[in-house]
Amino acid sequence: MQNAELRIEPFTLADISEASWLTMAAWSGELVASRQTKQLLYEGMVRYYYRNENYSYKISDGEGMQAFLLAGLPGNAAGGSTWWGQAINCLSPQEQELVQGYHAYLAYNGQRMEAFAGADDLLLHLFISRRPGCGQGLLTQVEQAAGQRQKKGLLLWTDETCNYAYYRKNGFQQLDKFPNSCSGALGKLQTLIYRKNI
């Protein structure tokens, strides 16, 4: 990274709230829902994907978190399911259905990705950057951490709402492409699974 103010640090539980706001800023336009529902949904997403502290990182500067990448090993349990189940009790039945559909969408894509993973692979779960260059810094950091622990590859899934050409540019190869319509609110999204050998 070029800016000396930027710091790569481990992502911790204390970072969930700030990461949730970053996630909501990135994707809040994809759903029609109340602000409260979106806040719960995106905090739930961050909690769901925070599975392994050894492979999860953030980049911060004097203005706060600029990017984060949550990664884990095959078989690491999804986080936040209990939190999500309790948090949505305050929502209307329609909003609860929206959140549950979104959760089903994430779970289905994750299962499809994990089917390609070997025991020596690392799964990239949630990756958001709002500042140019931070994404590359996080990918490099995670790849180094994986290599130091003798991991053989990085896997991730993405969909058509994201810039998936970014992954091809960074050495990832497409393994699969499929439609996912688990969430009625999102409609049918083409989803792609990528792998990079390390």
Side-chain angles (χ1 to χ4, degrees):
M1 291 182 308
Q2 298 169 347
N3 190 326
E5 291 181 23
L6 294 171
R7 305 176 307 275
I8 296 182
E9 302 168 313
F11 187 100
T12 69
L13 283 171
D15 297 313
I16 286 177
S17 179
E18 190 173 5
S20 301
W21 285 102
L22 199 60
T23 306
M24 190 166 82
W27 284 319
S28 67
E30 71 182 13
L31 292 172
V32 177
S34 70
R35 184 175 178 84
Q36 178 187 24
T37 299
K38 288 180 180 182
Q39 287 174 329
L40 291 176
L41 191 146
Y42 293 116
E43 181 171 347
M45 179 191 283
V46 174
R47 289 178 181 276
Y48 180 76
Y49 282 133
Y50 182 51
R51 301 181 184 190
N52 193 309
E53 62 188 19
N54 296 316
Y55 298 103
S56 296
Y57 297 94
K58 66 178 180 180
I59 293 182
S60 301
D61 65 10
E63 296 178 9
M65 189 182 300
Q66 298 299 316
F68 69 93
L69 195 161
L70 306 180
L73 301 171
N76 283 159
S81 294
T82 301
W83 179 90
W84 226 346
Q86 294 171 347
I88 66 171
N89 286 334
C90 64
L91 302 178
S92 71
Q94 295 82 7
E95 291 173 318
Q96 288 184 29
E97 184 178 337
L98 183 149
V99 172
Q100 290 165 341
Y102 204 92
H103 186 275
Y105 173 80
L106 300 178
Y108 180 74
N109 287 344
Q111 290 164 3
R112 293 284 298 252
M113 176 181 65
E114 198 151 342
F116 285 95
D120 293 329
D121 289 328
L122 184 66
L123 308 178
L124 308 185
H125 293 298
L126 185 56
F127 183 24
I128 295 184
S129 175
R130 65 176 171 184
R131 187 163 172 175
C134 287
Q136 186 63 55
L138 286 173
L139 279 176
T140 300
Q141 178 71 31
V142 167
E143 190 169 337
Q144 289 173 352
Q148 289 168 357
R149 294 176 173 96
Q150 287 77 48
K151 299 303 168 197
K152 303 237 188 311
L154 305 176
L155 281 92
L156 62 86
W157 69 262
T158 186
D159 64 33
E160 61 190 280
T161 67
C162 301
N163 177 14
Y164 50 86
Y166 177 83
Y167 299 109
R168 290 195 299 265
K169 187 176 89 172
N170 282 282
F172 286 80
Q173 302 294 316
Q174 183 179 320
L175 299 178
D176 196 13
K177 183 176 182 179
F178 57 92
N180 183 337
S181 55
C182 292
S183 168
L186 294 173
K188 184 184 287 188
L189 290 175
Q190 289 297 318
T191 303
L192 302 97
I193 297 174
Y194 285 96
R195 176 186 176 88
K196 179 179 184 180
N197 293 329
I198 54 174

Coordinates of all heavy atoms in Angstrom, one line a residue, residues 48-56 69-78 110 113-114 117-125 142 145-147 149-155 198:
Y48 N -22.0 -13.4 10.5 CA -22.1 -14.7 9.9 C -20.8 -15.1 9.3 O -20.4 -16.2 9.3 CB -23.2 -14.6 8.8 CG -23.5 -15.8 8.0 CD1 -24.2 -16.9 8.5 CD2 -23.0 -15.9 6.7 CE1 -24.4 -18.1 7.8 CE2 -23.3 -17.1 5.9 CZ -23.9 -18.1 6.5 OH -24.2 -19.3 5.8
Y49 N -20.1 -14.1 8.7 CA -18.9 -14.4 8.0 C -17.6 -14.3 8.8 O -16.5 -14.6 8.4 CB -18.7 -13.5 6.7 CG -19.6 -14.1 5.6 CD1 -20.4 -13.2 4.9 CD2 -19.6 -15.4 5.3 CE1 -21.1 -13.7 3.8 CE2 -20.3 -15.9 4.2 CZ -21.1 -15.0 3.5 OH -21.9 -15.5 2.5
Y50 N -17.7 -13.8 10.0 CA -16.5 -13.7 10.9 C -16.3 -15.1 11.6 O -16.9 -15.3 12.6 CB -16.7 -12.6 11.9 CG -15.4 -12.4 12.8 CD1 -14.2 -12.3 12.3 CD2 -15.6 -12.4 14.2 CE1 -13.0 -12.2 13.1 CE2 -14.4 -12.3 15.0 CZ -13.2 -12.2 14.4 OH -12.1 -12.0 15.2
R51 N -15.5 -15.9 10.9 CA -15.4 -17.3 11.3 C -14.0 -17.7 11.8 O -13.9 -18.7 12.5 CB -15.8 -18.2 10.1 CG -17.2 -18.0 9.6 CD -17.6 -18.9 8.5 NE -18.9 -18.5 8.0 CZ -19.5 -19.2 7.2 NH1 -19.0 -20.3 6.7 NH2 -20.7 -18.8 6.8
N52 N -13.0 -16.9 11.5 CA -11.7 -17.3 11.9 C -10.8 -16.1 12.0 O -10.5 -15.4 11.0 CB -11.1 -18.3 10.8 CG -9.8 -19.0 11.3 OD1 -8.9 -18.3 11.8 ND2 -9.8 -20.3 11.2
E53 N -10.4 -15.8 13.3 CA -9.6 -14.6 13.5 C -8.2 -14.6 12.9 O -7.6 -13.6 12.8 CB -9.6 -14.3 15.0 CG -8.9 -15.4 15.8 CD -9.0 -15.3 17.3 OE1 -9.9 -14.6 17.8 OE2 -8.1 -15.9 18.0
N54 N -7.7 -15.8 12.6 CA -6.4 -16.0 12.1 C -6.2 -15.5 10.6 O -5.1 -15.3 10.1 CB -5.9 -17.4 12.2 CG -5.7 -17.8 13.6 OD1 -5.2 -17.1 14.5 ND2 -6.2 -19.0 14.0
Y55 N -7.4 -15.4 9.9 CA -7.4 -15.0 8.5 C -8.2 -13.8 8.2 O -8.6 -13.6 7.0 CB -7.8 -16.2 7.7 CG -6.9 -17.5 7.8 CD1 -7.3 -18.5 8.6 CD2 -5.7 -17.5 7.2 CE1 -6.5 -19.7 8.7 CE2 -4.9 -18.6 7.3 CZ -5.3 -19.7 8.0 OH -4.5 -20.8 8.2
S56 N -8.6 -13.1 9.2 CA -9.5 -11.9 8.9 C -8.7 -10.6 9.3 O -8.1 -10.5 10.3 CB -10.8 -12.1 9.8 OG -11.5 -13.2 9.4
L69 N -11.5 -7.9 5.1 CA -11.7 -9.2 4.4 C -11.8 -10.3 5.5 O -10.9 -10.4 6.4 CB -10.4 -9.5 3.6 CG -10.6 -10.6 2.5 CD1 -9.5 -10.5 1.5 CD2 -10.5 -12.0 3.2
L70 N -12.9 -11.0 5.5 CA -13.2 -12.1 6.5 C -13.0 -13.4 5.8 O -13.6 -13.6 4.7 CB -14.6 -11.9 7.0 CG -15.0 -10.6 7.7 CD1 -16.4 -10.6 8.2 CD2 -14.0 -10.2 8.8
A71 N -12.2 -14.2 6.3 CA -11.9 -15.5 5.7 C -11.8 -16.6 6.8 O -11.7 -16.3 7.9 CB -10.5 -15.5 5.0
G72 N -12.0 -17.8 6.3 CA -12.0 -19.0 7.2 C -11.6 -20.3 6.5 O -11.5 -20.3 5.3
L73 N -11.5 -21.3 7.3 CA -11.2 -22.6 6.8 C -12.4 -23.4 6.5 O -13.5 -23.1 7.1 CB -10.4 -23.4 7.9 CG -9.0 -22.7 8.3 CD1 -8.5 -23.4 9.5 CD2 -8.1 -22.7 7.1
P74 N -12.3 -24.4 5.6 CA -13.5 -25.2 5.3 C -13.9 -25.9 6.7 O -13.1 -26.3 7.5 CB -13.0 -26.3 4.4 CG -11.8 -25.6 3.7 CD -11.2 -24.7 4.7
G75 N -15.2 -25.9 6.9 CA -15.7 -26.4 8.2 C -15.8 -25.5 9.3 O -16.5 -25.8 10.3
N76 N -15.2 -24.2 9.2 CA -15.4 -23.3 10.3 C -16.9 -22.9 10.3 O -17.6 -22.7 9.3 CB -14.7 -22.0 10.0 CG -13.2 -22.0 10.3 OD1 -12.4 -21.3 9.8 ND2 -12.7 -23.0 11.1
A77 N -17.5 -23.0 11.5 CA -18.9 -22.7 11.7 C -19.3 -21.3 11.3 O -18.5 -20.4 11.6 CB -19.3 -23.0 13.1
A78 N -20.4 -21.1 10.7 CA -20.9 -19.8 10.5 C -21.2 -19.1 11.8 O -21.7 -19.7 12.7 CB -22.2 -19.9 9.6
G110 N -22.4 -20.3 -0.1 CA -21.3 -20.8 0.7 C -21.2 -22.3 0.6 O -20.1 -22.9 0.5
M113 N -19.7 -23.2 -2.7 CA -18.3 -22.9 -2.7 C -17.5 -24.0 -2.0 O -16.5 -24.5 -2.4 CB -18.0 -21.5 -2.1 CG -16.5 -21.2 -2.0 SD -16.1 -19.6 -1.3 CE -16.7 -19.8 0.3
E114 N -18.0 -24.3 -0.8 CA -17.3 -25.2 0.1 C -17.2 -26.6 -0.6 O -16.2 -27.4 -0.3 CB -17.9 -25.3 1.5 CG -17.0 -25.9 2.5 CD -17.2 -25.4 3.9 OE1 -17.9 -24.4 4.1 OE2 -16.7 -26.1 4.8
A117 N -13.8 -26.9 -2.1 CA -12.7 -26.7 -1.2 C -12.1 -28.0 -0.7 O -12.8 -28.9 -0.3 CB -13.1 -25.8 0.0
G118 N -10.8 -28.0 -0.7 CA -10.0 -29.1 0.0 C -9.7 -28.7 1.4 O -9.8 -27.5 1.8
A119 N -9.2 -29.6 2.2 CA -8.8 -29.4 3.6 C -7.7 -28.3 3.7 O -7.6 -27.6 4.7 CB -8.4 -30.6 4.2
D120 N -6.9 -28.2 2.6 CA -5.8 -27.2 2.7 C -6.1 -25.9 2.0 O -5.2 -25.2 1.6 CB -4.5 -27.8 2.0 CG -4.0 -29.0 2.8 OD1 -4.1 -29.0 4.0 OD2 -3.5 -29.9 2.2
D121 N -7.4 -25.6 1.8 CA -7.8 -24.3 1.2 C -8.3 -23.3 2.2 O -8.6 -23.7 3.3 CB -8.9 -24.6 0.1 CG -8.4 -25.3 -1.1 OD1 -7.2 -25.1 -1.5 OD2 -9.1 -26.1 -1.7
L122 N -8.3 -22.1 1.8 CA -8.9 -21.0 2.6 C -10.0 -20.4 1.9 O -9.9 -20.1 0.6 CB -7.8 -19.9 2.9 CG -8.2 -18.8 3.8 CD1 -8.4 -19.3 5.2 CD2 -7.1 -17.7 3.8
L123 N -11.1 -20.1 2.6 CA -12.3 -19.6 2.0 C -12.4 -18.1 2.3 O -12.4 -17.7 3.5 CB -13.6 -20.3 2.5 CG -13.6 -21.8 2.4 CD1 -14.8 -22.4 3.0 CD2 -13.4 -22.2 1.0
L124 N -12.5 -17.2 1.2 CA -12.7 -15.8 1.4 C -14.2 -15.5 1.5 O -14.9 -15.8 0.5 CB -12.0 -15.0 0.3 CG -10.6 -15.3 0.0 CD1 -10.0 -14.4 -1.1 CD2 -9.7 -15.3 1.3
H125 N -14.7 -15.0 2.6 CA -16.1 -14.9 2.8 C -16.7 -13.5 2.5 O -17.7 -13.4 1.8 CB -16.5 -15.3 4.2 CG -16.2 -16.7 4.5 ND1 -16.9 -17.8 3.9 CD2 -15.4 -17.3 5.4 CE1 -16.5 -18.9 4.3 NE2 -15.6 -18.7 5.3
V142 N -3.8 -11.8 3.1 CA -4.4 -13.1 3.3 C -3.7 -14.2 2.6 O -3.5 -15.3 3.2 CB -5.9 -13.0 2.9 CG1 -6.5 -14.4 2.8 CG2 -6.7 -12.1 3.9
A145 N -0.6 -15.0 4.7 CA -1.0 -15.7 5.9 C -1.3 -17.2 5.6 O -1.0 -18.1 6.3 CB -2.2 -15.0 6.6
A146 N -2.0 -17.3 4.4 CA -2.4 -18.7 4.0 C -1.1 -19.5 3.6 O -1.0 -20.7 4.0 CB -3.4 -18.6 2.8
G147 N -0.2 -18.9 2.9 CA 1.0 -19.5 2.5 C 1.8 -19.9 3.7 O 2.4 -21.0 3.7
R149 N 0.8 -20.9 6.5 CA 0.2 -22.0 7.1 C 0.0 -23.2 6.1 O -0.9 -24.0 6.4 CB -1.1 -21.5 7.7 CG -0.9 -20.6 8.9 CD -2.2 -20.1 9.4 NE -2.1 -19.3 10.6 CZ -2.0 -17.9 10.6 NH1 -2.1 -17.3 9.5 NH2 -1.9 -17.3 11.8
Q150 N 0.7 -23.2 5.1 CA 0.7 -24.2 4.1 C -0.6 -24.5 3.4 O -1.0 -25.6 3.1 CB 1.2 -25.6 4.7 CG 2.7 -25.6 4.9 CD 3.2 -24.8 6.2 OE1 2.6 -25.0 7.2 NE2 4.2 -24.0 6.0
K151 N -1.4 -23.4 3.2 CA -2.7 -23.5 2.5 C -2.3 -23.6 1.0 O -1.4 -23.0 0.5 CB -3.6 -22.4 2.8 CG -4.0 -22.3 4.3 CD -4.6 -23.6 4.7 CE -4.8 -23.7 6.2 NZ -5.0 -25.0 6.7
K152 N -3.2 -24.3 0.2 CA -2.9 -24.5 -1.2 C -3.7 -23.6 -2.1 O -3.3 -23.4 -3.3 CB -3.2 -26.0 -1.5 CG -2.4 -27.0 -0.7 CD -1.7 -27.9 -1.6 CE -1.0 -29.0 -1.0 NZ -0.2 -29.0 0.1
G153 N -4.8 -23.1 -1.7 CA -5.6 -22.2 -2.5 C -6.6 -21.3 -1.8 O -6.9 -21.6 -0.6
L154 N -7.0 -20.3 -2.5 CA -8.0 -19.4 -2.0 C -9.3 -19.6 -2.8 O -9.2 -19.6 -4.0 CB -7.6 -17.9 -2.1 CG -6.2 -17.5 -1.5 CD1 -5.9 -16.1 -1.8 CD2 -6.3 -17.8 0.0
L155 N -10.4 -19.7 -2.2 CA -11.7 -19.8 -2.9 C -12.6 -18.7 -2.4 O -12.6 -18.3 -1.3 CB -12.4 -21.2 -2.6 CG -11.9 -22.3 -3.4 CD1 -10.8 -23.0 -2.6 CD2 -13.0 -23.3 -3.7
I198 N -2.1 -21.1 -4.5 CA -1.0 -20.3 -3.9 C 0.2 -21.3 -3.6 O 0.0 -22.5 -3.6 CB -1.4 -19.6 -2.6 CG1 -2.1 -20.5 -1.6 CG2 -2.4 -18.4 -3.0 CD1 -2.5 -19.8 -0.3

